Structures are given as structure tokens and as C-alpha cells.
Amino acid sequence: MFTIEWTSVILGMLTMLSSFGWLFDRRRHKHEMEGLRADNRQKEMNLGKDYVTEWRTYIAEPLEREVGELRMEVKKLRDAIQRIDRCPHRDNCPVLDGVRGDEESGDRSLETRDGSKE
């Protein structure tokens, strides 16, 4: 009988120790998972920063340069059109007629040389 009691006590202690080990291992695993999640969030943020940098470098900056160039061209064209009023040949100017024709009919550019529309 004495042997059975010691066996029960030893088995009970082993069960308690293994359950404490399981609890501590679970906590350790939980902390490791939180650390991995934080690392993944940091990697995602770095990846997002890289995407933004590449987007700016390859898309936004070239578009900004192109828009700036187009604005300069439009400004030059406006200045040229405003100077038409001072031109001595404005009555027979084919460029002015072309500009006025485009302003009067928006679909005029669709006409071909023979007058048919595309």
C-alpha cells in the first residue's frame, strides 16, 4: 500500500511539473509569435517605403518633369497666339485660320484631305 501511495504522489508531481512546463512553453511560444508579427509588420512597412520610393523615382518625378515641360510649351503657344493681334499678316495667316477653325468645330480634326470623316 505504501508503494501505491508513493507512486500516486510521484505521478501527481510529474503531472503538475509537465502542466507547468506546458504553461510556460505556451507563454514562450506566444511571445515568440508576437515578436514574429512585429518583425513582419516592420518588413511590410519597409516594403511599402520601398514601393513609394520606386513609384516616385520611376513614375511621379518623370511625370512632374513632363507636366512642367508641357506647361512651358502651352505658355509659349499662348504667347504666340496673343502676338497674332500685332502681326501685320494676320488677315491672311493660315495658322490663325487653323486655330480658329479648331476652336469653331471640335470634330474638324477628324476630317481627311478629301473632306470625308474617319
Side-chain angles (χ1 to χ4, degrees):
M1 184 104 166
F2 184 68
T3 309
I4 294 176
E5 289 179 19
W6 278 103
T7 308
S8 298
V9 170
I10 292 174
L11 287 176
M13 289 174 69
L14 286 174
T15 304
M16 282 178 44
L17 288 175
S18 66
S19 65
F20 282 128
W22 179 77
L23 287 174
F24 288 124
D25 188 48
R26 184 173 178 214
R27 283 185 181 170
R28 184 182 54 84
H29 178 70
K30 183 178 177 182
H31 289 294
E32 285 179 2
M33 292 304 295
E34 287 175 4
L36 288 174
R37 285 188 192 111
D39 288 343
N40 285 340
R41 279 188 296 241
Q42 184 65 36
K43 288 177 184 177
E44 287 175 358
M45 288 172 40
N46 290 339
L47 187 61
K49 287 178 185 177
D50 292 342
Y51 284 152
V52 168
T53 302
E54 286 184 14
W55 181 80
R56 283 184 182 154
T57 303
Y58 296 113
I59 296 174
E61 290 174 0
L63 285 175
E64 286 176 0
R65 281 193 300 271
E66 188 174 347
V67 166
E69 292 170 1
L70 289 172
R71 285 183 178 166
M72 292 298 292
E73 288 180 22
V74 168
K75 183 181 181 307
K76 287 179 185 177
L77 287 172
R78 278 190 193 143
D79 293 342
I81 290 172
Q82 288 174 356
R83 285 192 308 253
I84 288 176
D85 290 335
R86 294 185 306 253
C87 180
H89 306 288
R90 71 172 176 242
D91 294 334
N92 297 326
C93 182
V95 176
L96 182 59
D97 292 339
V99 170
R100 285 184 183 155
D102 288 344
E103 289 176 356
E104 291 171 5
S105 66
D107 65 334
R108 190 172 195 154
S109 61
L110 297 176
E111 292 182 11
T112 59
R113 285 187 174 176
D114 62 356
S116 62
K117 292 189 178 186
E118 292 180 352

